[in-house]
Amino acid sequence: AQKITQTQPGMFVQEKEAVTLDCTYDTSDQSYGLFWYKQPSSGEMIFLIYQGSYDEQNATEGRYSLNFQKARKSANLVISASQLGDSAMYFCAMREVNDYKLSFGAGTTVTVRA
Amino acid sequence: IAGITQAPTSQILAAGRRMTLRCTQDMRHNAMYWYRQDLGLGLRLIHYSNTAGTTGKGEVPDGYSVSRANTDDFPLTLASAVPSQTSVYFCASLSNTGELFFGEGSRLTVL
């Protein structure tokens, strides 16, 4: 069963605007971690942000923030003030603490327009 | 430079041939993973290893095997390659803080 769902295959955003990438997850565990990764066209995987299930505050890293809604099992990534260099594929991932496996969603392609 | 090294970066392979993708990390991470990336499917876990000497099956293990003789190395073997194994393969390791470090990927084409 798919544990991570990203419903937006592709999105366009205007430069300097904010964009929200959706991610929902499925787990019965109380303790887990949520991750977002960026994959530019060059292919490497770049870690962006992490949210633990017990963290009371939403994680932020520079222009990236994670809108964590535990009851709804969603972990949306918000990119503020989009830049042309933000054009990439973005993956949401989850790791249940008692399980070393880390599952990824199908990804969302973001294209930033000048 | 600390990190994960994968080899080869790219390979074209005839169906039926045996192939081993190499992965080495120098960060002393216990947990390591092999993923394949296919368009529209994201990254799917093939095999993983929690620590040296142990391995486990991921979502799509069929046709692949792994070994973990030591902490640093985690090779992935295709015993008899098939065209459906054409993909980009990523090796990764998990730090104590929960961050997953990726190699640069190995692009494999099976003809």
Side-chain angles (χ1 to χ4, degrees), chain A residues 3-69:
Chain A
K3 287 194 170 185
I4 301 288
T5 302
Q6 294 180 252
T7 58
Q8 306 151 310
M11 298 184 71
F12 291 93
V13 60
Q14 204 64 30
E15 195 177 12
K16 299 181 184 178
E17 291 186 351
V19 61
T20 298
L21 308 184
D22 294 340
C23 173
T24 57
Y25 57 92
D26 181 28
T27 181
S28 56
D29 283 9
Q30 294 302 309
S31 185
Y32 50 90
L34 298 157
F35 303 77
W36 277 93
Y37 285 83
K38 172 184 179 181
Q39 187 180 42
S41 59
S42 52
E44 74 267 30
M45 296 290 287
I46 302 169
F47 168 76
L48 295 179
I49 198 166
Y50 167 81
Q51 177 87 40
S53 59
Y54 289 115
D55 293 341
E56 294 186 353
Q57 291 195 333
N58 287 342
T60 60
E61 287 288 345
R63 294 186 298 110
Y64 304 107
S65 60
L66 200 152
N67 183 1
F68 180 46
Q69 298 185 44

Side-chain angles (χ1 to χ4, degrees), chain B residues 76-97:
Chain B
L76 176 74
T77 297
L78 290 68
S80 179
V82 295
S84 62
Q85 292 177 312
T86 293
S87 187
V88 179
Y89 292 85
F90 284 96
C91 180
S93 69
L94 188 69
S95 73
N96 291 337
T97 57

Side-chain angles (χ1 to χ4, degrees), chain B residues 23-103:
Chain B
C23 175
T24 300
Q25 55 112 350
D26 60 2
M27 297 174 283
R28 309 301 293 172
H29 293 163
N30 284 321
M32 296 187 74
Y33 306 83
W34 273 106
Y35 291 91
R36 60 177 289 174
Q37 183 178 16
D38 303 288
L39 191 64
L41 297 176
L43 285 89
R44 292 181 293 169
L45 182 64
I46 304 171
H47 285 286
Y48 66 98
S49 169
N50 294 341
T51 188
T54 67
T55 62
K57 294 181 179 180
E59 303 170 63
V60 288
D62 294 343
Y64 305 94
S65 63
V66 291
S67 62
R68 189 85 184 277
N70 57 62
T71 297
D72 297 344
D73 300 302
F74 190 43
L76 176 74
T77 297
L78 290 68
S80 179
V82 295
S84 62
Q85 292 177 312
T86 293
S87 187
V88 179
Y89 292 85
F90 284 96
C91 180
S93 69
L94 188 69
S95 73
N96 291 337
T97 57
E99 182 178 347
L100 200 64
F101 289 81
F102 283 87

